[in-house]
Amino acid sequence: MDKFAQRLKEAREKAGYRSAREAAETLQWTYSTYASHENGGRMPKPDLIKKYARAFSVGAGWLITGEPKSAQPIEPREKIGVVSVSGEVQAGHWVEEDSFSFQDTSYVPMSPNPQYSPESQTAFLVRGQSMNKKVQDGDYVIAVWIDQTRDAIDNDIVVIRRRHGQLVETSLKRLRIIDGHPKLFPESTDPKHQKPLDLGDPENGDCVEIIARVIGSYRDLT
């Protein structure tokens, strides 16, 4: 393992992630790509190094060179009273699967819902108008990762991930079970965001999956 990979692993462990897979799944990174960087298989591009540094609360310069003066690893922030932000949800916004969005403000200042473990909860910054009947652009939704809670049921608001080739879209939808078939509906006043998606019946090569279930929302009034 090269020195960059060793520092990346150290930063990930100090950030509280027990494995590369846990970090990748929680932060919505492609596991194979991240794992190849942590095991020294290949060096990430500079923009990915910056995003890894931000996610793990270390300096990008420290990851690259190990130079203490660049930035020392920061001890994990106490997460009592905050919910970590995993990224953005925006219908129609497609990005390369190897990239991800992580916010400058990486925590929402609200206590985790006591019905669920703090580790299972995350927040997403809402962009666009695809669910503006429920949440507005700039709001945050608080969600529970679907593999750490019950399955989504009829009328739940869910975070979905849609893949088309190497492109990925993450967005919000209302799950409805109609005649036994799950469908995903936007709830928008914008005609561009009113067409439902079928879950489990890929359209035009799309692969659609539910990754989290929404349990609340947060709006910054400052």
Side-chain angles (χ1 to χ4, degrees), residues 158-201:
V158 294
V159 181
I160 70 161
R161 180 178 295 155
R162 183 160 58 136
R163 289 186 173 88
H164 187 88
Q166 296 300 310
L167 297 178
V168 176
E169 174 205 54
T170 306
S171 64
L172 291 176
K173 296 287 188 291
R174 174 82 71 179
L175 175 65
R176 297 302 313 273
I177 309 299
I178 300 175
D179 296 330
H181 299 288
K183 285 184 173 290
L184 298 161
F185 286 84
E187 295 189 355
S188 176
T189 59
D190 187 340
K192 293 186 300 183
H193 297 296
Q194 295 179 350
K195 182 180 179 181
L197 290 174
D198 288 335
L199 181 63
D201 184 18

Side-chain angles (χ1 to χ4, degrees), residues 1-214:
M1 181 183 291
D2 63 27
K3 291 183 178 179
F4 170 85
Q6 289 177 340
R7 286 189 289 272
L8 183 61
K9 180 180 179 181
E10 178 185 340
R12 184 257 299 163
E13 290 175 341
K14 285 192 173 183
Y17 298 102
R18 293 167 294 180
S19 67
R21 182 173 294 278
E22 180 184 11
E25 291 180 351
T26 301
L27 297 167
Q28 297 188 76
W29 302 339
T30 302
Y31 169 68
S32 59
T33 299
Y34 175 74
S36 72
H37 297 155
E38 188 176 298
N39 66 25
R42 57 191 175 113
M43 188 74 173
K45 295 178 181 179
D47 60 332
L48 270 180
I49 293 175
K50 291 179 182 178
K51 290 174 180 177
Y52 289 154
R54 182 180 298 171
F56 295 148
S57 296
V58 299
W62 178 81
L63 280 176
I64 297 169
T65 68
E67 172 57 49
K69 292 181 181 179
S70 298
Q72 289 283 7
I74 299 172
E75 291 302 315
R77 182 186 300 193
E78 178 60 54
K79 294 186 178 180
I80 297 175
V82 295
V83 177
S84 63
V85 177
S86 289
E88 298 181 357
V89 284
Q90 181 175 2
H93 179 64
W94 293 85
V95 298
E96 292 288 339
E97 190 167 4
D98 283 355
S99 68
F100 62 91
S101 176
F102 200 85
Q103 306 309 311
D104 291 334
T105 303
S106 56
Y107 294 89
V108 170
M110 64 179 294
S111 296
N113 188 315
Q115 295 183 39
Y116 310 93
S117 68
E119 296 78 15
S120 70
Q121 297 176 56
T122 191
F124 293 89
L125 176 61
V126 177
R127 292 299 189 193
Q129 305 299 322
S130 67
M131 285 292 287
N132 67 356
K133 291 183 179 180
K134 294 297 179 183
V135 287
Q136 302 301 312
D137 181 86
D139 290 353
Y140 290 86
V141 292
I142 312 302
V144 182
W145 297 111
I146 202 67
D147 62 352
Q148 299 182 50
T149 182
R150 64 164 172 78
D151 290 339
I153 61 175
D154 184 59
N155 212 41
D156 280 346
I157 296 177
V158 294
V159 181
I160 70 161
R161 180 178 295 155
R162 183 160 58 136
R163 289 186 173 88
H164 187 88
Q166 296 300 310
L167 297 178
V168 176
E169 174 205 54
T170 306
S171 64
L172 291 176
K173 296 287 188 291
R174 174 82 71 179
L175 175 65
R176 297 302 313 273
I177 309 299
I178 300 175
D179 296 330
H181 299 288
K183 285 184 173 290
L184 298 161
F185 286 84
E187 295 189 355
S188 176
T189 59
D190 187 340
K192 293 186 300 183
H193 297 296
Q194 295 179 350
K195 182 180 179 181
L197 290 174
D198 288 335
L199 181 63
D201 184 18
E203 178 184 359
N204 299 323
D206 288 356
C207 177
V208 182
E209 61 177 334
I210 294 173
I211 63 170
R213 180 170 58 86
V214 173

